[in-house]
Amino acid sequence: MIPILRARTLDFEAGGTMVATINKNFAEDYDIHSLDRIRVTLGAQSMIVLVNVTEFQVSYDQIGFFREVWDELSIRNNEEVSIEPIAKPLALDAIKKKLDGEELVKEEIFDIIKNAVDNTLSSVELATFVSAIYTRGMTVGEIANLTKAMVSFGDKLSFGKKIVVDKHSVGGVAGNRTTPLVVSIVAAGGLTIPKLSSRAISSPAGTADTMEVFAPVSLPSHELKKIVKKVGACIAWGGALKIASADDELIRIRHPMKLDPEALLLSSIMAKKKAAGSNVVLIDIPFGEGSKVQYSGLAKHLARQFELLGKALNMHVSVIITDGSQPIGNGIGPALEAIDVLKVLMGNDGPTDLRDKSVRLAGRILEMGGKAPKGKGEVLAKQLLDSKKAYKKFKEIIKAQGGNPEIKPKDIRVGEFSIAVKAARAGTVSSISSKALSSVCRAAGAPRDREAGAYLHKHVEDRVKKGETILTIYAGVEHKLERAITTYKMLPETIVIS
Amino acid sequence: MIPILRARTLDFEAGGTMVATINKNFAEDYDIHSLDRIRVTLGAQSMIVLVNVTEFQVSYDQIGFFREVWDELSIRNNEEVSIEPIAKPLALDAIKKKLDGEELVKEEIFDIIKNAVDNTLSSVELATFVSAIYTRGMTVGEIANLTKAMVSFGDKLSFGKKIVVDKHSVGGVAGNRTTPLVVSIVAAGGLTIPKLSSRAISSPAGTADTMEVFAPVSLPSHELKKIVKKVGACIAWGGALKIASADDELIRIRHPMKLDPEALLLSSIMAKKKAAGSNVVLIDIPFGEGSKVQYSGLAKHLARQFELLGKALNMHVSVIITDGSQPIGNGIGPALEAIDVLKVLMGNDGPTDLRDKSVRLAGRILEMGGKAPKGKGEVLAKQLLDSKKAYKKFKEIIKAQGGNPEIKPKDIRVGEFSIAVKAARAGTVSSISSKALSSVCRAAGAPRDREAGAYLHKHVEDRVKKGETILTIYAGVEHKLERAITTYKMLPETIVIS
């Protein structure tokens, strides 16, 4: 019999994991070890937590609870708590099995994801799982189960439509802000597209950051549904919802080691689409030096995996491989990208490459969604853009999400401190590095300073004269502008003229 | 420029890792992420710590330090602290490289171990390293470097002798307390044997726990040296010294997933021997059902690995494969094992199997250490035991470590609550499970209650009558005796009669 303990509410976060702290001597007496699991019960409530063993923090008859646990159980100081050791979950055996190179069955994968979402797997256990997937890989069947598990243990949306479309760009290309354009075009074409986007993690802007220049993007799911029902589309921040939240747990673990196992890349993307109710999805894989996918062989392999996974998930998935060797559009950073988007929609002097790429993606989705015959999608997309129907749809979306639909490019504020970078010699632009340009924009303050970033005056193969402006850097505060200039000087690969 | 922050001393342990907590908004502004590394400087002191990002714990201009950091730096509340982000250590690239299946060079392995000892690798990073070794394995050259690194970043002992011997049993066999006997015999034979032993982790007694029945085992290294110089031997607790402390870090990570990669098993054992100054080592690998090594093929493979590793480390390593299919000796638990040891040394009615095995091991070490010609070691060992020279040496060791050398078996207290388990039928003992017997003894309170445990009256192949006592269980408190009986009833494999 384990005696009753007195609760001590430790005003401390455990980083999301459910943890209780017990005294070292108590742990030894009752043969409980650090990272064992116990069920804690107080009154009618109970939950499973991980054990942390301490010498000083709590006394022999106390149990300390981190903020995450007492938030969940509403524990008060000195309340009586009973504890009971519980067997390790099936998930640990399954993780070991994967580490040994064996294929996991559905139940095992579901158990791991359930425990990850419940926060009852420790960082060590999750890191072992990520390492196992990284070294051993996963079959398409396993990835499909992983995707289904992420969908299953998270919130789901549904829109009561036979066809719900979506798009995703694998990323890494600066300024590649096609999403607001694609969404406006395909929704103007009559398709339902409830777009959930992310904020930037390591880039100068995510779609959600750019869209936030126009309207709020943190929308609760009931509002999101209302908006999609009314205008056929939204451009919201996915992080505000608890969709495929296991993925967030895994990203937290993957970050320090920069581990990006293919199975997690694929399941992460597809789980978010499936949970958002989409069944027709276009994946854009930009490839080229500086983008996430650097080799055409890898791009083709990923394309095939996405299509196979789509079949296993009963979804219509198509992949388009695009040029990711240089930035798309001119603006980089939330406000500067928003200006590009608005200009393309309004039909005046927006960047041609951004416009062309968006038309191409939207055309393909219109075909997949049955709004255009095969080969005719791009023509329809162009019509929807040229006729301003897409612009009208974008204004509807802005209005529905609570922004000002009448906003004009000149209303969008950019950083008041700026510097024009001039060409040191005449010649032809031979390369522009997305990665280096992103570092410059982040040094300037993007994405947190929305008005920070850079404007690219030239693209690859453009001729430049000596002293001509090739880049303007914007920042909201002077010292960040200086930091951005220093960064630019340290990265000569940003814009190469030869 | 990152502004000066004010220290906040958080009265909290981070579990050994060096961690500082900064505010979420501050982290975003200065592009610092959770688990990044920063150098913190206050006054003339500085150290590298891992970053923890928090929403509530500290305000924008504060930096919170966990107990481990402020113990080390003697920080006070509100002191001014400057911070500077630092590049990730080479160690992270090396861990990733191992995960990709490549061989690590010396510098990479040294870097990982150095960071593990400095507590600047997070649990996620260390777990990835352990997983990488588990899935990819290591060459003998890598294991040798790992061993050298563990030795290098820890304390070392030396005794100014040409030959310093040691022994190690791979473990898992209940009651297998040969160490005090082997040490006494070989030291009586004129060899230097500074034995560092461990306490029990999951077994009912470690050698250190048993030896503590006779004398203190937590000895500082200067005292240890004095004792070894005087009597040629010691039997101390290795954990009191900071020898190969990287191993303790790795064990903490390996525990929850029960990962026991071969490279870590080998390097852990050899690093402790090498750091303790030994150059002649006998490894005992008991194999059989219930012991750690269950198959003879694995035992032979491990033997070969130990010998190769010995060569790479310039040490004379020999391996002996012994029977691990049933417990050795009669007593299990610190006090009961101590009684067995003392009886064998004093020459009266000690368990024959324990005596025979100890003579065999000691004989081999006497040969390796040049005190007996090949094939004659056992005879010498037997002489040293029968002539009571080994007993005399053991008394010298007890005295030198501060215990009572005149202690007799009857002076050793065993648990006052006991129960005799009777044979339910007549027949022959066909098997005894070390694992099950260990569970029973741990339920009775061992190793924390030194007097708890069990006494085995029969061994495999012994005939028993119905109702004859086959096992006596001892406990210091009544409810633990009941728990032990319940455990025994749940484990019918403990002693099987057929």
Side-chain angles (χ1 to χ4, degrees), chain B residues 78 88 102 183 251 289 301 311 372:
Chain B
N78 275 315
K88 61 178 184 157
E102 289 176 61
V183 169
I251 284 172
E289 229 178 300
H301 164 77
K311 279 206 184 74

Side-chain angles (χ1 to χ4, degrees), chain B residues 21-181:
Chain B
T21 288
I22 56 174
N23 184 274
K24 192 167 175 258
N25 292 333
F26 179 86
E28 279 183 22
D29 277 357
Y30 292 92
D31 205 17
I32 301 171
H33 296 86
S34 193
L35 296 184
D36 277 356
R37 285 162 178 76
I38 55 172
R39 179 183 301 280
V40 303
T41 307
L42 86 164
Q45 306 177 90
S46 96
M47 76 181 295
I48 292 164
V49 302
L50 287 163
V51 170
N52 179 25
V53 173
T54 171
E55 241 173 293
F56 310 107
Q57 220 65 54
V58 299
S59 60
Y60 193 93
D61 60 344
Q62 285 184 325
I63 180 164
F65 292 104
F66 288 79
R67 195 188 266 269
E68 286 87 348
V69 181
W70 54 267
D71 267 4
E72 186 95 11
L73 286 185
S74 41
I75 296 171
R76 284 187 315 273
N77 252 323
N78 275 315
E79 279 195 278
E80 289 195 341
V81 177
S82 70
I83 69 170
E84 174 199 358
I86 63 160
K88 61 178 184 157
L90 174 62
L92 292 198
D93 288 331
I95 292 171
K96 184 91 179 284
K97 187 175 164 188
K98 182 83 271 183
L99 205 59
D100 286 330
E102 289 176 61
E103 191 170 341
L104 299 183
V105 299
K106 187 178 166 186
E107 288 69 29
E108 291 168 326
I109 292 174
F110 270 61
D111 211 62
I112 292 169
I113 296 305
K114 182 181 180 303
N115 282 279
V117 173
D118 287 351
N119 283 312
T120 55
L121 283 178
S122 68
S123 296
V124 166
E125 291 156 357
L126 282 174
T128 307
F129 180 54
V130 172
S131 301
I133 296 179
Y134 182 85
T135 48
R136 303 299 191 176
M138 275 188 151
T139 64
V140 171
E142 284 177 297
I143 303 172
N145 282 324
L146 189 59
T147 309
K148 287 176 192 166
M150 285 185 182
V151 172
S152 170
F153 299 110
D155 288 348
K156 281 173 281 281
L157 299 175
S158 67
F159 300 95
K161 292 271 177 183
K162 228 182 99 195
I163 292 174
V164 178
V165 304
D166 207 342
K167 67 146 296 235
H168 184 88
S169 280
V170 168
V173 181
N176 187 23
R177 199 55 56 218
T178 56
T179 296
L181 295 165

